[in-house]
Amino acid sequence: MSRKTYTHRIPVVKWMDRIVRWAPAVGRSMFAGTGIFKRMSSREPNLEAWPRADRLVMSTPAFLALSDLDTGEARRQGVDEAVTDLAGYSRPLPGPLGSISVPTVFIHGEADGNVPIEGARWAHAQIDGAELHTIPDGGHLFLFEDAGPLLRELT
C-alpha cells in the first residue's frame, strides 16, 4: 500500500493494522472478541470514524444483521486469516500487476476510508487496458447501498 493510500485510511483501521503487525496475539484477540475485547462487539463506538456513506449503511438493521452473521461465521472458522490479511496491506505485492493480461475493471468508492481510492488508482495504472469506475461519495460499503455499478459490469 502506498504511503499516500495509508495516510488516508481511517484512524481505527490504521490502529488495527499496526496492532496485527506488531502484536498479532492482541490482534487475534480483538478479531475473536475475547479477553478484554469481549465487550467491544458493538460497532457504535467507531461509527464516527467512518465516511458518511458507510455510517449510513452500517447503522441500518439489515446491515447489522448481516454483519453479525458474517462476524460470527468468521470467528467460528478462526481469525488467523483476518489477521494475516490486514497485516498484508503494509507489505509489497508478491508479483507485478503489470503481468495481468485479462480484462480488469476496478469499481471503487471515492470516499472509502478503509481502502482509499489512491490504492485503486495506483493498481489501475499498473494494468494495461484496465478500467477504473469510481463511485462519487461511495464508501467502502457502497455495494450495500447500490449494487448497480457491479451488476452492470457483470452483465
Side-chain angles (χ1 to χ4, degrees):
M1 178 177 294
S2 73
R3 189 76 191 132
K4 185 176 183 181
T5 302
Y6 187 82
T7 59
H8 286 102
R9 292 185 97 178
I10 59 175
V12 69
V13 176
K14 285 193 276 191
W15 179 74
M16 289 175 66
D17 176 62
R18 289 181 185 124
I19 288 172
V20 298
R21 284 187 292 129
W22 300 107
V26 174
R28 279 191 286 285
S29 183
M30 285 174 57
F31 279 113
T34 59
I36 63 171
F37 301 103
K38 198 170 196 164
R39 294 179 296 166
M40 295 177 66
S41 61
S42 170
R43 296 189 189 284
E44 288 300 322
N46 296 321
L47 271 183
E48 69 275 356
W50 291 83
R52 181 181 182 280
D54 287 333
R55 286 194 315 267
L56 293 173
V57 170
M58 292 168 89
S59 61
T60 65
F63 176 83
L64 292 171
L66 287 173
S67 180
D68 286 345
L69 283 172
D70 184 55
T71 300
E73 182 60 20
R75 287 178 175 169
R76 186 187 69 73
Q77 294 181 36
V79 298
D80 288 343
E81 292 303 319
V83 170
T84 300
D85 183 50
L86 185 58
Y89 284 110
S90 59
R91 294 189 199 112
L93 292 171
L97 292 178
S99 65
I100 295 173
S101 60
V102 297
T104 305
V105 178
F106 293 89
I107 306 170
H108 207 95
E110 291 181 6
D112 189 337
N114 189 9
V115 181
I117 188 70
E118 290 85 5
R121 287 185 177 130
W122 175 85
H124 164 255
Q126 307 304 305
I127 303 170
D128 286 339
E131 296 178 41
L132 173 63
H133 301 277
T134 62
I135 309 301
D137 300 320
H140 190 68
L141 304 170
F142 74 87
L143 289 173
F144 281 97
E145 205 170 14
D146 179 14
L150 175 62
L151 295 174
R152 282 189 290 280
E153 288 301 323
L154 292 173
T155 55

Short mmCIF file of all heavy atoms in Angstrom, two decimals, residues 15-34 37 79-88 91:
data_model
loop_
_atom_site.label_atom_id
_atom_site.label_comp_id
_atom_site.label_asym_id
_atom_site.label_seq_id
_atom_site.Cartn_x
_atom_site.Cartn_y
_atom_site.Cartn_z
N TRP A 15 -4.90 1.91 13.17
CA TRP A 15 -4.57 1.42 14.50
C TRP A 15 -4.58 -0.11 14.51
O TRP A 15 -3.66 -0.76 15.02
CB TRP A 15 -5.60 2.01 15.47
CG TRP A 15 -5.49 1.64 16.90
CD1 TRP A 15 -4.56 2.08 17.80
CD2 TRP A 15 -6.37 0.77 17.63
NE1 TRP A 15 -4.81 1.55 19.03
CE2 TRP A 15 -5.91 0.73 18.96
CE3 TRP A 15 -7.49 0.03 17.29
CZ2 TRP A 15 -6.53 -0.02 19.93
CZ3 TRP A 15 -8.11 -0.72 18.27
CH2 TRP A 15 -7.63 -0.74 19.57
N MET A 16 -5.63 -0.71 13.91
CA MET A 16 -5.71 -2.18 13.85
C MET A 16 -4.58 -2.76 13.01
O MET A 16 -4.01 -3.81 13.36
CB MET A 16 -7.07 -2.60 13.29
CG MET A 16 -8.21 -2.35 14.25
SD MET A 16 -9.83 -2.71 13.54
CE MET A 16 -9.70 -4.47 13.32
N ASP A 17 -4.21 -2.08 11.93
CA ASP A 17 -3.11 -2.53 11.08
C ASP A 17 -1.82 -2.61 11.89
O ASP A 17 -1.08 -3.59 11.80
CB ASP A 17 -2.96 -1.57 9.90
CG ASP A 17 -1.76 -1.91 9.03
OD1 ASP A 17 -1.74 -3.01 8.46
OD2 ASP A 17 -0.84 -1.07 8.95
N ARG A 18 -1.56 -1.60 12.67
CA ARG A 18 -0.33 -1.60 13.50
C ARG A 18 -0.36 -2.71 14.54
O ARG A 18 0.64 -3.38 14.77
CB ARG A 18 -0.18 -0.24 14.18
CG ARG A 18 0.20 0.85 13.22
CD ARG A 18 0.37 2.18 13.92
NE ARG A 18 0.61 3.21 12.95
CZ ARG A 18 -0.11 4.31 12.83
NH1 ARG A 18 -1.12 4.53 13.64
NH2 ARG A 18 0.17 5.20 11.91
N ILE A 19 -1.51 -2.93 15.15
CA ILE A 19 -1.62 -3.97 16.18
C ILE A 19 -1.36 -5.36 15.59
O ILE A 19 -0.61 -6.15 16.16
CB ILE A 19 -2.99 -3.92 16.88
CG1 ILE A 19 -3.04 -2.69 17.79
CG2 ILE A 19 -3.25 -5.19 17.68
CD1 ILE A 19 -4.39 -2.41 18.39
N VAL A 20 -1.96 -5.67 14.44
CA VAL A 20 -1.77 -7.02 13.88
C VAL A 20 -0.33 -7.24 13.42
O VAL A 20 0.13 -8.38 13.40
CB VAL A 20 -2.77 -7.36 12.76
CG1 VAL A 20 -4.20 -7.33 13.28
CG2 VAL A 20 -2.61 -6.49 11.54
N ARG A 21 0.37 -6.17 13.06
CA ARG A 21 1.77 -6.33 12.65
C ARG A 21 2.71 -6.44 13.83
O ARG A 21 3.65 -7.21 13.82
CB ARG A 21 2.20 -5.18 11.74
CG ARG A 21 1.64 -5.31 10.35
CD ARG A 21 2.18 -4.28 9.37
NE ARG A 21 1.70 -2.96 9.73
CZ ARG A 21 2.50 -1.91 9.87
NH1 ARG A 21 3.79 -2.01 9.70
NH2 ARG A 21 2.00 -0.73 10.18
N TRP A 22 2.48 -5.64 14.86
CA TRP A 22 3.42 -5.58 15.99
C TRP A 22 3.01 -6.44 17.18
O TRP A 22 3.86 -6.79 18.00
CB TRP A 22 3.62 -4.13 16.43
CG TRP A 22 4.16 -3.31 15.30
CD1 TRP A 22 3.49 -2.37 14.55
CD2 TRP A 22 5.46 -3.38 14.74
NE1 TRP A 22 4.29 -1.87 13.57
CE2 TRP A 22 5.53 -2.46 13.67
CE3 TRP A 22 6.60 -4.13 15.03
CZ2 TRP A 22 6.66 -2.27 12.90
CZ3 TRP A 22 7.74 -3.94 14.25
CH2 TRP A 22 7.76 -3.02 13.21
N ALA A 23 1.75 -6.79 17.30
CA ALA A 23 1.27 -7.63 18.41
C ALA A 23 0.17 -8.54 17.89
O ALA A 23 -1.01 -8.38 18.25
CB ALA A 23 0.79 -6.75 19.56
N PRO A 24 0.52 -9.52 17.04
CA PRO A 24 -0.50 -10.36 16.42
C PRO A 24 -1.41 -11.06 17.42
O PRO A 24 -2.60 -11.27 17.14
CB PRO A 24 0.28 -11.36 15.58
CG PRO A 24 1.71 -10.96 15.65
CD PRO A 24 1.87 -9.84 16.61
N ALA A 25 -0.90 -11.45 18.57
CA ALA A 25 -1.74 -12.12 19.57
C ALA A 25 -2.85 -11.20 20.05
O ALA A 25 -3.99 -11.62 20.25
CB ALA A 25 -0.90 -12.62 20.75
N VAL A 26 -2.53 -9.92 20.22
CA VAL A 26 -3.54 -8.93 20.61
C VAL A 26 -4.54 -8.76 19.47
O VAL A 26 -5.75 -8.69 19.69
CB VAL A 26 -2.89 -7.59 21.00
CG1 VAL A 26 -3.94 -6.53 21.28
CG2 VAL A 26 -1.97 -7.77 22.21
N GLY A 27 -4.05 -8.72 18.23
CA GLY A 27 -4.93 -8.59 17.07
C GLY A 27 -5.89 -9.76 16.97
O GLY A 27 -7.08 -9.58 16.69
N ARG A 28 -5.39 -10.97 17.21
CA ARG A 28 -6.27 -12.14 17.16
C ARG A 28 -7.36 -12.05 18.22
O ARG A 28 -8.52 -12.37 17.98
CB ARG A 28 -5.46 -13.43 17.32
CG ARG A 28 -4.79 -13.86 16.02
CD ARG A 28 -4.21 -15.26 16.10
NE ARG A 28 -2.99 -15.34 16.88
CZ ARG A 28 -1.79 -14.93 16.48
NH1 ARG A 28 -1.65 -14.40 15.27
NH2 ARG A 28 -0.74 -15.05 17.24
N SER A 29 -6.99 -11.59 19.41
CA SER A 29 -7.96 -11.43 20.49
C SER A 29 -9.01 -10.38 20.12
O SER A 29 -10.20 -10.54 20.40
CB SER A 29 -7.25 -11.06 21.79
OG SER A 29 -8.16 -10.96 22.85
N MET A 30 -8.57 -9.30 19.46
CA MET A 30 -9.51 -8.26 19.02
C MET A 30 -10.52 -8.83 18.04
O MET A 30 -11.72 -8.65 18.18
CB MET A 30 -8.76 -7.10 18.37
CG MET A 30 -8.03 -6.20 19.33
SD MET A 30 -7.04 -4.96 18.46
CE MET A 30 -8.25 -4.17 17.46
N PHE A 31 -10.01 -9.51 17.00
CA PHE A 31 -10.89 -10.07 15.98
C PHE A 31 -11.81 -11.15 16.55
O PHE A 31 -12.96 -11.27 16.13
CB PHE A 31 -10.09 -10.65 14.81
CG PHE A 31 -9.64 -9.62 13.82
CD1 PHE A 31 -8.29 -9.33 13.67
CD2 PHE A 31 -10.54 -8.94 13.04
CE1 PHE A 31 -7.87 -8.38 12.76
CE2 PHE A 31 -10.13 -7.99 12.12
CZ PHE A 31 -8.78 -7.71 11.99
N ALA A 32 -11.30 -11.93 17.49
CA ALA A 32 -12.09 -13.01 18.07
C ALA A 32 -13.08 -12.49 19.11
O ALA A 32 -14.02 -13.19 19.48
CB ALA A 32 -11.17 -14.04 18.71
N GLY A 33 -12.89 -11.25 19.59
CA GLY A 33 -13.78 -10.71 20.61
C GLY A 33 -13.61 -11.43 21.94
O GLY A 33 -14.58 -11.65 22.66
N THR A 34 -12.37 -11.79 22.26
CA THR A 34 -12.09 -12.49 23.51
C THR A 34 -11.28 -11.61 24.46
O THR A 34 -10.80 -10.55 24.08
CB THR A 34 -11.32 -13.80 23.24
OG1 THR A 34 -10.09 -13.48 22.57
CG2 THR A 34 -12.13 -14.76 22.40
N PHE A 37 -11.40 -7.70 24.96
CA PHE A 37 -12.14 -7.23 23.79
C PHE A 37 -13.55 -7.82 23.70
O PHE A 37 -14.28 -7.55 22.76
CB PHE A 37 -11.36 -7.52 22.51
CG PHE A 37 -10.01 -6.87 22.51
CD1 PHE A 37 -8.88 -7.63 22.77
CD2 PHE A 37 -9.88 -5.52 22.30
CE1 PHE A 37 -7.63 -7.04 22.79
CE2 PHE A 37 -8.64 -4.91 22.32
CZ PHE A 37 -7.50 -5.67 22.57
N VAL A 79 -9.65 -16.65 13.38
CA VAL A 79 -9.36 -15.28 12.97
C VAL A 79 -7.97 -15.11 12.36
O VAL A 79 -7.60 -14.02 11.95
CB VAL A 79 -9.54 -14.31 14.16
CG1 VAL A 79 -10.97 -14.31 14.65
CG2 VAL A 79 -8.57 -14.64 15.29
N ASP A 80 -7.20 -16.19 12.28
CA ASP A 80 -5.83 -16.06 11.78
C ASP A 80 -5.77 -15.46 10.38
O ASP A 80 -4.90 -14.64 10.08
CB ASP A 80 -5.10 -17.40 11.80
CG ASP A 80 -4.75 -17.84 13.22
OD1 ASP A 80 -4.76 -16.97 14.12
OD2 ASP A 80 -4.47 -19.03 13.42
N GLU A 81 -6.68 -15.86 9.49
CA GLU A 81 -6.67 -15.33 8.12
C GLU A 81 -6.99 -13.84 8.09
O GLU A 81 -6.42 -13.09 7.30
CB GLU A 81 -7.61 -16.11 7.22
CG GLU A 81 -7.15 -17.53 6.97
CD GLU A 81 -5.76 -17.61 6.38
OE1 GLU A 81 -5.42 -16.81 5.48
OE2 GLU A 81 -4.99 -18.49 6.81
N ALA A 82 -7.89 -13.39 8.96
CA ALA A 82 -8.21 -11.96 9.02
C ALA A 82 -7.00 -11.17 9.48
O ALA A 82 -6.70 -10.09 8.94
CB ALA A 82 -9.39 -11.72 9.95
N VAL A 83 -6.28 -11.68 10.46
CA VAL A 83 -5.07 -11.01 10.95
C VAL A 83 -4.02 -10.97 9.84
O VAL A 83 -3.41 -9.93 9.59
CB VAL A 83 -4.53 -11.71 12.22
CG1 VAL A 83 -3.15 -11.19 12.60
CG2 VAL A 83 -5.51 -11.54 13.37
N THR A 84 -3.82 -12.09 9.15
CA THR A 84 -2.85 -12.15 8.06
C THR A 84 -3.23 -11.19 6.94
O THR A 84 -2.38 -10.49 6.39
CB THR A 84 -2.75 -13.59 7.51
OG1 THR A 84 -2.34 -14.45 8.58
CG2 THR A 84 -1.78 -13.70 6.36
N ASP A 85 -4.52 -11.15 6.60
CA ASP A 85 -4.99 -10.28 5.54
C ASP A 85 -4.72 -8.81 5.88
O ASP A 85 -4.17 -8.07 5.06
CB ASP A 85 -6.49 -10.51 5.33
CG ASP A 85 -7.06 -9.69 4.18
OD1 ASP A 85 -6.47 -9.70 3.08
OD2 ASP A 85 -8.09 -9.03 4.40
N LEU A 86 -5.10 -8.40 7.06
CA LEU A 86 -4.90 -6.99 7.44
C LEU A 86 -3.42 -6.65 7.51
O LEU A 86 -3.00 -5.59 7.02
CB LEU A 86 -5.57 -6.70 8.79
CG LEU A 86 -5.54 -5.25 9.24
CD1 LEU A 86 -6.19 -4.32 8.21
CD2 LEU A 86 -6.24 -5.10 10.58
N ALA A 87 -2.60 -7.52 8.05
CA ALA A 87 -1.16 -7.26 8.14
C ALA A 87 -0.53 -7.17 6.76
O ALA A 87 0.47 -6.47 6.57
CB ALA A 87 -0.48 -8.34 8.97
N GLY A 88 -1.10 -7.84 5.78
CA GLY A 88 -0.54 -7.85 4.43
C GLY A 88 -0.64 -6.53 3.69
O GLY A 88 0.08 -6.31 2.72
N ARG A 91 2.65 -4.72 3.25
CA ARG A 91 3.74 -5.42 2.57
C ARG A 91 3.64 -5.21 1.06
O ARG A 91 2.56 -5.01 0.53
CB ARG A 91 3.66 -6.92 2.86
CG ARG A 91 3.91 -7.26 4.29
CD ARG A 91 4.03 -8.78 4.45
NE ARG A 91 3.83 -9.10 5.83
CZ ARG A 91 2.78 -9.76 6.32
NH1 ARG A 91 1.86 -10.21 5.51
NH2 ARG A 91 2.66 -9.99 7.59
#
